[in-house]
Amino acid sequence: MNANVTREQAMELLRKYNQEPFHLEHALTVEGVMRWFASQEGEEEEFWGIAGLLHDVDFEKYPQEHCKKAPELLKEINASPELVHAVCSHGYGLCSDVEPACLMEKILFAADELTGLIWAAAKMRPSKSVMDMEVKSLKKKFKDKRFAAGCSRDVIEKGAQMLGWDLNELFEKTILAMRSCEEEVRREMENL
């Protein structure tokens, strides 16, 4: 699969429709996580990363049309049908009827929501980092429905099922993926 979009184009589009630091940081985190998963799977890192970077492109300005407005915005950079499908499929069952079909889309669906939970848990740690986070402590946060209540446990569980992974495997891999990009995301946020 080919992104047929450069990271520079993707970043420009993201910045055009997203100004909130929280949304930008989330986009950069999911990009880094997707690149890590692509490298683990021997897949196209650029394509997976750009899908992660742009997955919420329409969320900040058009929250009521999330995943429905995205195709229109992605046309601005001539995004491939594969990229549009990937972006729209991450909202499957929530705000989109586009089902994740390939491995990349299933990982994006599962990891998107989970990165939010992991990031919220990391901010509670003395280190404010995922570098010293363990699966055990994340599982405790996951079970506490009041913690990061906006992160859907159902979506995370459904994502793990789609992938044929248990929650421990999804948690462990996503923590490692976030460790791989934490420093880069921090640097990029400082430069925005």
Side-chain angles (χ1 to χ4, degrees):
M1 283 199 205
N2 187 328
N4 88 310
V5 166
T6 66
R7 185 176 190 276
E8 193 180 349
Q9 290 171 308
M11 203 60 198
E12 234 171 77
L13 188 70
L14 179 71
R15 296 294 308 276
K16 180 175 177 181
Y17 293 102
N18 293 267
Q19 277 77 48
E20 285 288 321
F22 175 83
H23 292 141
L24 294 169
E25 189 170 24
H26 175 65
L28 291 168
T29 300
V30 176
E31 174 194 23
V33 164
M34 292 304 292
R35 284 179 178 278
W36 182 88
F37 274 110
S39 74
Q40 298 302 298
E41 298 292 335
E43 295 288 345
E44 177 50 54
E45 287 181 45
E46 191 69 8
F47 179 68
W48 285 42
I50 286 173
L53 187 65
L54 292 175
H55 79 283
D56 277 347
V57 69
D58 61 0
F59 185 74
E60 187 177 311
K61 280 212 174 20
Y62 308 101
Q64 302 310 313
E65 297 175 80
H66 185 37
C67 294
K68 292 178 178 52
K69 191 79 173 166
E72 183 187 319
L73 306 185
L74 292 167
K75 264 188 196 150
E76 293 180 30
I77 55 171
N78 297 315
S80 66
E82 293 85 8
L83 183 58
V84 173
H85 191 277
V87 166
C88 294
S89 73
H90 90 276
Y92 180 64
L94 302 166
C95 56
S96 168
D97 55 5
V98 179
E99 193 169 352
C102 62
L103 179 64
M104 184 268 280
E105 293 173 347
K106 292 173 184 177
I107 289 174
L108 180 60
F109 178 87
D112 170 35
E113 202 71 13
L114 184 53
T115 59
L117 184 72
I118 292 171
W119 190 230
K123 285 183 173 175
M124 303 295 290
R125 302 179 71 74
S127 66
K128 306 268 187 260
S129 168
V130 292
M131 293 305 183
D132 59 355
M133 183 180 291
E134 297 301 326
V135 170
K136 190 172 70 178
S137 67
L138 181 60
K139 280 172 80 172
K140 275 189 201 142
K141 298 290 190 199
F142 181 81
K143 286 178 182 156
D144 178 359
K145 303 287 189 237
R146 292 170 316 215
F147 178 78
C151 294
S152 169
R153 274 59 171 176
D154 291 344
V155 167
I156 294 167
E157 286 174 340
K158 191 173 173 183
Q161 286 167 356
M162 270 184 203
L163 289 162
W165 298 350
D166 65 22
L167 281 175
N168 281 350
E169 184 177 0
L170 179 62
F171 288 178
E172 187 177 338
K173 287 179 173 180
T174 309
I175 288 170
L176 291 172
M178 286 181 71
R179 284 180 186 168
S180 78
C181 66
E182 182 178 285
E183 211 35 62
E184 181 60 34
V185 169
R186 191 171 288 140
R187 256 198 313 277
E188 206 160 342
M189 285 304 293
E190 286 167 6
N191 294 326
L192 284 181

